[in-house]
C-alpha cells in the first residue's frame, strides 16, 4: 500500500511549508508516503472553470488508475480521527494505494470529483489549499499513531 498526497502548487508561506514538511515526514513513518505537487494554473486571464479543469488534468495525470482516489472537498464526508485511521488501515490491509487530492484556489474539477471513489471533508468550512494540506498531513500522522496505539493521539 502506498499513500499519495497530490496537491496543486507549492506552499508559499515559509512557516506553513515547514509545518507541512514536518507532518508529511512524520506521517511517512507510518505510511509509505509520496507527495506530488502539480503546477498551479495562472488565473489572471482564465475563468475559474478553466483553471479547475487544467489543474484537474494535471492532478489526474499523477494518480494511478488503480489507486483509490480521495477528493479532499468540503462537501465530502467527515470522519473522526479514529474513523479515518480505521478506514486507512482497512485500505492498507486490502492492499489498496490511496491518493488524496487537494485542489487549488478554485477547488477540484468536476472530472476529478467524478473519478473519486471517496470525497473527504477536512473541515466543515473551506480551507485554503495550503492549510488543507497541513490538516491532511497531520491527520495522516495521527492516524498512524492511532493504528500503532501510540500516545500522540491523546
Amino acid at each position: 500500500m502506498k499513500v499519495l498526497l497530490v496537491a496543486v502548487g507549492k506552499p508559499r508561506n515559509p512557516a506553513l511549508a515547514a509545518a507541512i514538511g514536518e507532518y508529511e515526514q512524520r506521517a511517512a513513518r507510518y505510511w509509505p508516503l509520496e507527495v506530488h505537487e502539480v503546477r498551479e494554473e495562472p488565473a489572471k486571464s482564465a475563468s475559474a472553470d478553466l483553471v479547475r479543469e487544467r489543474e484537474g488534468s494535471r492532478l489526474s495525470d499523477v494518480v494511478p488508475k488503480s489507486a483509490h482516489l480521495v477528493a479532499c472537498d468540503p462537501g465530502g464526508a467527515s470522519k473522526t480521527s479514529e474513523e479515518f485511521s480505521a478506514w486507512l488501515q482497512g485500505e492498507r490491509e486490502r492492499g489498496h494505494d490511496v491518493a488524496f487530492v487537494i485542489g487549488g484556489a478554485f477547488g477540484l474539477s468536476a472530472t476529478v470529483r467524478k473519478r473519486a471513489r471517496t470525497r473527504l471533508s477536512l473541515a466543515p468550512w473551506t480551507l485554503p489549499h495550503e492549510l488543507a494540506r497541513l490538516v491532511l498531513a497531520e491527520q495522516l500522522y495521527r492516524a498512524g499513531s492511532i493504528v500503532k496505539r501510540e500516545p500522540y493521539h491523546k
Side-chain angles (χ1 to χ4, degrees), residues 35-72:
V35 177
H36 298 275
E37 297 170 337
V38 302
R39 187 173 56 82
E40 196 170 358
E41 184 67 24
K44 292 177 183 160
S45 60
S47 69
D49 288 338
L50 183 59
V51 169
R52 272 191 297 271
E53 285 307 314
R54 287 181 178 167
E55 290 174 347
S57 178
R58 291 184 194 114
L59 291 166
S60 290
D61 288 347
V62 174
V63 178
K65 298 284 186 220
S66 61
H68 182 139
L69 194 152
V70 177
C72 296

Side-chain angles (χ1 to χ4, degrees), residues 79-130:
K79 294 183 183 298
T80 65
S81 296
E82 293 84 357
E83 290 168 340
F84 179 67
S85 68
W87 174 82
L88 194 56
Q89 179 62 18
E91 292 301 297
R92 180 192 332 232
E93 290 168 1
R94 287 185 282 283
H96 295 162
D97 290 343
V98 179
F100 295 94
V101 179
I102 298 173
F106 295 111
L108 292 168
S109 68
T111 305
V112 170
R113 285 186 180 157
K114 273 186 198 169
R115 184 176 162 201
R117 287 183 32 204
T118 302
R119 288 174 56 206
L120 177 67
S121 173
L122 300 176
W125 51 81
T126 302
L127 296 172
H129 55 284
E130 291 176 323

